[in-house]
Amino acid sequence: MTNDTHETQRFHAEYKVIGGKLVVADVETDGKTITEVKISGDFFLEPEEAYFDLAPALVGASVTADNANLRQRLDTALAGYGSELAMHGFSTSDIATVVRRALGSAANFTDFDWQVIRGEVLPTQVNVALDQVLLEEVAAGRRKPTLRFWEWDDTATVIGAFQSYVNELRPEGVEKYGVQVVRRISGGGAMFMEGGNCITYSMFVPPSLVAGLDYEESYVFLDQWVLAALKSLGVEAFYKPINDISSTGGKIGGAAQKRLRDGTLLHHATMSYDIDADKMVEVLRIGEAKISDKGVSSAKKRVDPLRSQTGEARKDIIDVMANTFADRYGANFDTFTADELDKAQALVDEKFGTEKWTHRVP
């Protein structure tokens, strides 16, 4: 953003529509309303005259207007074209999104010096604690934006921040299999995690990267590299709102988020590699309902979408994911610092390993 002597504020943003085209917005404001705007990109729009109605529709809108308001302005301006209107590779909602990202001074992935951590094998409690530590480190500017892959060899269930302990877990199964139950800081559902049975990663994201994106949009936006990596492995993966990663072969996994007050974001996902479904439903009460809902018999011994759909070893899949991210965004490979690991262990002792935190929702 730059300012001139007339207090005109200028903004620019680019937005690659998921599965579509690039939409670019150059916006000028007087600090309160949009005074001028140019929409461009490699999209297709018919009739051609409709293009020249896009910018005037947005002039006069408040700089705080949300997606719905901007989209309504555009839809009203284009309504007269009726069935003649054809928008290919983008929509009025996408235009509204790129304008909001411009006004929010949104950044792109390549604007940051990303770090990728492959990670050493750590207890699940430490892995969960590291999510809080690294989120706070990125927010404080002590760590660059980071993607890290979890590694663990214990048997654990990680439950969401707001899930009920007694409603989610079967005590007899927890005891039988020696399951370590850990509550994480993000919402979402429970994850049954044995060493090697799934792939989990966490991203620690500056606020400007998701500026102008609503909650649902941010999930799809942040995981485009994952979908690309899976496609290179022969898996046609896509998002099912709000936070499920699925494919033509069925559900693969799910994502969850936690935002600090300053907007710094933890985005993480777990994808099934080779899960013992029978054991899972002995541990998780919700397991039966989820499996039934996805059309998978509870008698099935394995839930293995990534193993069966790719035919690849877990490590090789993670290699492809990590390299896809690094190649796309120019990331460097990194490790945890001793201080970060010390802070994580302290959090295990003070929080994540305590009955008070684990049972905070009884």
Side-chain angles (χ1 to χ4, degrees), residues 32-228:
K32 294 182 179 180
T33 61
I34 294 174
T35 56
E36 188 174 339
V37 60
K38 179 175 71 176
I39 302 299
S40 60
D42 60 357
F43 49 77
F44 300 93
L45 175 61
E46 298 290 346
E48 182 176 333
E49 293 77 13
Y51 171 76
F52 299 99
D53 290 327
L54 298 178
L58 297 169
V59 171
S62 169
V63 296
T64 61
D66 62 11
N67 188 296
N69 180 276
L70 297 176
R71 187 176 67 246
Q72 183 179 28
R73 283 172 164 267
L74 291 162
D75 289 341
T76 299
L78 299 176
Y81 294 100
S83 60
E84 291 184 71
L85 183 69
M87 304 178 73
H88 299 288
F90 77 126
S91 67
T92 53
S93 180
D94 297 318
I95 297 173
T97 293
V98 73
V99 169
R100 288 189 299 122
R101 282 181 62 74
L103 293 172
S105 299
N108 296 312
F109 272 95
T110 51
D111 293 327
F112 302 101
D113 184 8
W114 285 91
Q115 309 295 298
V116 177
I117 299 177
R118 289 298 302 267
E120 58 194 87
V121 175
L122 296 167
T124 298
Q125 287 182 337
V126 176
N127 272 313
V128 171
L130 275 168
D131 272 358
Q132 179 173 328
V133 170
L134 298 186
L135 179 63
E136 292 172 351
E137 293 295 293
V138 170
R142 292 186 292 267
R143 166 171 281 280
K144 297 173 182 177
T146 298
L147 163 70
R148 70 128 177 157
F149 292 89
W150 295 28
E151 290 295 344
W152 68 99
D153 59 12
D154 52 354
T155 298
T157 292
V158 179
I159 60 176
F162 311 109
Q163 288 188 296
S164 164
Y165 187 100
V166 297
N167 287 344
E168 299 300 326
L169 297 158
R170 299 180 184 276
E172 60 277 14
V174 171
E175 182 178 356
K176 177 180 178 180
Y177 295 110
V179 177
Q180 178 75 64
V181 180
V182 192
R183 186 182 296 276
R184 63 181 184 269
I185 60 174
S186 64
M191 308 183 303
F192 177 64
M193 304 174 66
E194 292 184 288
N197 78 345
C198 52
I199 295 173
T200 296
Y201 60 85
S202 300
M203 298 173 66
F204 307 91
V205 179
S208 59
L209 184 59
V210 293
L213 299 177
D214 64 26
Y215 187 74
E216 185 175 319
E217 288 172 329
S218 70
Y219 276 91
V220 188
F221 177 74
L222 291 173
D223 275 341
Q224 283 307 291
W225 63 275
V226 177
L227 303 187

Side-chain angles (χ1 to χ4, degrees), residues 18 201 216-224 226-227 236-247 253-257 267-269:
I18 308 306
Y201 60 85
E216 185 175 319
E217 288 172 329
S218 70
Y219 276 91
V220 188
F221 177 74
L222 291 173
D223 275 341
Q224 283 307 291
V226 177
L227 303 187
E236 291 296 330
F238 51 87
Y239 249 84
K240 292 183 68 174
I242 298 175
N243 62 332
D244 280 353
I245 301 172
S246 193
S247 75
Q257 294 183 354
H267 173 93
H268 52 187

